[in-house]
Amino acid sequence: MKKLIMAILIAVSMVQNISAQDNNRQRMTPQQRTEQRIQKLDEKLSLTDNQKSQIRNLYADFYKQKYPKEKRKEAMEKLITDIAAVLTSDQQVLYKQLQEESSAERKNIRAKTE
């Protein structure tokens, strides 16, 4: 009986920790998400300061809008296209690969949760 109670307590505490981690991710402001994305892009694509500034502005414009669910995918595709336009041709190739990898990861996560 003691083992069962202990196992339940451990399970509950693990669920609370996982839930708290998910909440921390959701609490990022649009500016924080933008900076995080720019940092990741810079690591992979070696962005110039001008490119970072332009991409930052594109994200700012994107986050100013409140898109309904059915329009959000379309708006995200436009954002991706606009970001690609800021990049050099070599960077565009890498950016496309990053987008494909990210899309595959999202599909994989969705498949696991269903």
Side-chain angles (χ1 to χ4, degrees), residues 41 45 59 76-77 79-81 83-84 87 92-106:
L41 287 175
L45 306 176
Y59 273 115
M76 184 60 79
E77 288 173 1
L79 175 65
I80 290 168
T81 302
I83 290 172
L87 304 174
Q92 287 175 355
V93 171
L94 292 172
Y95 183 64
K96 185 175 181 181
Q97 289 174 349
L98 292 172
Q99 292 302 315
E100 290 170 357
E101 289 170 9
S102 178
S103 178
E105 283 179 26
R106 284 191 302 273

Side-chain angles (χ1 to χ4, degrees), residues 16 18-19 50 104 108:
Q16 287 175 337
I18 292 170
S19 177
N50 188 34
N108 193 14

Side-chain angles (χ1 to χ4, degrees), residues 30-82:
Q31 293 82 10
Q32 290 170 325
R33 282 193 300 271
T34 297
E35 292 306 317
Q36 182 183 41
R37 289 177 178 149
I38 289 173
Q39 182 181 2
K40 285 182 181 181
L41 287 175
D42 189 31
E43 289 172 7
K44 303 286 184 181
L45 306 176
S46 301
L47 300 174
T48 65
D49 289 340
N50 188 34
Q51 288 173 320
K52 289 178 197 177
S53 177
Q54 290 176 328
I55 293 170
R56 191 172 287 113
N57 290 337
L58 291 170
Y59 273 115
D61 291 342
F62 176 79
Y63 285 124
K64 283 180 190 174
Q65 305 295 320
K66 297 292 180 193
Y67 299 102
K69 190 174 185 176
E70 59 275 2
K71 298 276 185 182
R72 187 161 179 86
K73 183 176 180 181
E74 187 179 305
M76 184 60 79
E77 288 173 1
K78 181 182 180 329
L79 175 65
I80 290 168
T81 302
D82 291 345

